[in-house]
Amino acid sequence: MGTPRVFSGIQPTADSFHLGNYLGAVKQWVDLQETGDALYCVVDLHAITMPYDPATLRRRTRVAAAQLIATGLDPERCILFVQSQVPEHAELAWVLSCLTGFGEASRMTQFKDKSAKGGAETASVGLFTYPMLMAADILLYRTDEVPVGEDQRQHLELSRNLAQRFNHRFGETFTVPAPYILPAVAKITDLQDPTSKMSKSSSAPQGIIDLLDEPAAIRKKINRAVTDTESVVRVDDEAKPGVTNLLRIYAALCGEKADDIAARYGDGGYGGFKKDLGDLVVDTFSPIRERTARYLSDDAALDAVLNEGARRARKIATETMARVRERSGFPPAV
Ligand code: AQP
């Protein structure tokens, strides 16, 4: 097998990515650009599935792209682009929506959760068809591997089913993508509610560490993270979800095993452990924050990177769409 094609995306739905986005997804993206033929995308079309303000979206899209470069994505080693600049995403999403059963789409838990929060009647149809747009993102690039967090597993399963369904009905067209999910970081949890996912839209500010947080804010949030009364640092998902989450974060950032880190702190209480973790997060995020500000200060350079990324992505996307059009019974695009 040749170099695997890798694709993933992230929504510009906040002014900063958070620690869960970073450890669950973006950190893997940086690693995979070295071994894979990688495309990464700021998925602004996905971001409009919830109520939004255009000026805010425009700003967040740029902040998202700048953060991705600041974390280590190198536009020479991967294709970095903004989804709406490649119109084939929306075009293929329509074709895939017409292959998806209404019942099948209704079973998507992200739609159920998000629509329940705002009231199912007012949820947009776009929120309902979000998974088909995500399938289009992935299938357009004949993707082999998709590095994501655990919350995206169900959507990825739908992408696989849609690829197989299209291939079966209309002839071999799409690669069937595989999830690339690292169990240790697949679900980083909220610091105040350590059984729930850390999330841009549902975590309270004290429960979420942003990539662009100032050092003092990071330290404070980690100091106040919910633990337990036992005072022993050890991995135990059932009895100690808060400490276990902090250990997983620690391990992912320094590359050691969580059990080895736990053994070093033992039963000495949580103060020193939290202080060291705060330092580690600050040391990792501060250079990223500074680089993000630098990339955001040069509009023309950022535009040039994103426009070039979109041009390169579009070349692949139009090839795939030409095949899809032919197999679907449409005339060629003119
Ligand atoms: N807590 C998490 N732990 C591990 N991975 C996570 N991801 C998100 N939260 C965690 C992964 O980050 C990537 C980009 O996510 P996204 O912006 O496309 O949307 P999301 O999954 O819906 O993330 P959020 O923060 O929870 O956003 P909202 O609140 O807007 O829904 C994905 O690979 C995701 O798995």
Side-chain angles (χ1 to χ4, degrees):
M1 189 173 135
T3 310
R5 170 68 54 80
V6 174
F7 176 92
S8 199
I10 190 158
Q11 298 189 75
T13 42
D15 287 322
S16 171
F17 298 149
H18 59 69
L19 184 60
N21 299 137
Y22 176 71
L23 291 180
V26 179
K27 192 162 179 286
Q28 275 67 262
W29 300 8
V30 176
D31 295 340
L32 289 170
Q33 70 180 343
E34 304 301 335
T35 52
D37 170 13
L39 294 103
Y40 301 119
C41 184
V42 179
V43 290
D44 54 349
L45 296 177
H46 285 274
I48 68 166
T49 56
M50 301 291 277
Y52 78 105
D53 165 58
T56 307
L57 176 64
R58 196 170 290 123
R59 184 185 75 242
R60 288 177 169 174
T61 298
R62 300 181 72 76
V63 175
Q67 282 176 100
L68 290 176
I69 303 170
T71 55
L73 290 192
D74 176 354
E76 301 286 320
R77 290 203 182 84
C78 67
I79 299 177
L80 174 63
F81 68 106
V82 176
Q83 184 187 30
S84 63
Q85 288 194 291
V86 181
E88 286 73 16
H89 287 249
E91 189 182 2
L92 181 57
W94 176 255
V95 174
L96 297 177
S97 294
C98 296
L99 277 183
T100 310
F102 188 81
E104 190 176 28
S106 305
R107 285 192 289 277
M108 295 294 122
T109 55
Q110 181 174 293
F111 173 74
K112 287 199 254 184
D113 292 347
K114 290 198 172 179
S115 61
K117 271 182 209 156
E121 277 300 307
T122 55
S124 73
V125 174
L127 187 65
F128 187 67
T129 57
Y130 179 116
M132 287 67 100
L133 178 59
M134 178 168 156
D137 300 340
I138 296 165
L139 301 186
L140 261 184
Y141 299 102
R142 281 109 63 191
T143 302
D144 298 298
E145 289 176 352
V146 187
V148 283
E150 182 61 39
D151 59 332
Q152 295 301 326
R153 189 185 289 279
Q154 191 188 33
H155 287 166
L156 214 46
E157 196 50 41
L158 178 70
S159 302
R160 290 169 57 81
N161 289 341
L162 290 174
Q164 283 161 339
R165 197 170 300 161
F166 189 99
N167 290 349
H168 181 70
R169 288 198 195 159
F170 304 119
E172 217 40 51
T173 305
F174 294 122
T175 301
V176 180
Y180 181 96
I181 299 176
L182 299 184
V185 286
K187 185 183 171 188
I188 299 299
T189 60
D190 185 302
L191 300 185
Q192 292 300 318
D193 176 11
T195 54
S196 301
K197 184 182 90 141
M198 186 180 284
S199 152
K200 294 190 217 91
S201 58
S202 49
S203 289
Q206 291 309 315
I208 186 169
I209 294 181
D210 279 338
L211 204 56
L212 302 182
D213 271 344
E214 293 292 331
I218 293 175
R219 291 201 171 91
K220 193 164 157 191
K221 289 178 193 180
I222 292 177
N223 274 336
R224 294 188 177 172
V226 166
T227 49
D228 50 67
T229 53
E230 198 192 48
S231 288
V232 182
V233 179
R234 66 183 166 85
V235 176
D236 184 337
D237 274 306
E238 294 301 310
K240 299 168 75 69
V243 171
T244 302
N245 187 42
L246 296 179
L247 272 168
R248 294 230 165 89
I249 294 167
Y250 200 139
L253 290 175
C254 76
E256 286 180 71
K257 290 203 178 80
D259 285 330
D260 293 344
I261 297 164
R264 256 201 332 269
Y265 291 97
D267 57 5
Y270 299 138
F273 168 61
K274 283 180 164 179
K275 182 186 173 304
D276 292 347
L277 177 58
D279 290 343
L280 187 56
V281 177
V282 166
D283 289 348
T284 309
F285 283 4
S286 290
I288 296 176
R289 193 181 70 249
E290 285 155 19
R291 283 197 293 269
T292 301
R294 221 169 43 237
Y295 294 127
L296 283 172
S297 68
D298 188 343
D299 281 344
L302 190 56
D303 283 344
V305 165
L306 295 176
N307 290 342
E308 177 57 17
R311 260 192 295 276
R312 291 167 68 198
R314 193 150 192 220
K315 186 165 179 302
I316 306 171
T318 48
E319 285 165 15
T320 306
M321 267 322 289
R323 253 180 274 167
V324 171
R325 295 181 71 90
E326 200 269 318
R327 304 239 150 110
S328 303
F330 302 147
V334 288

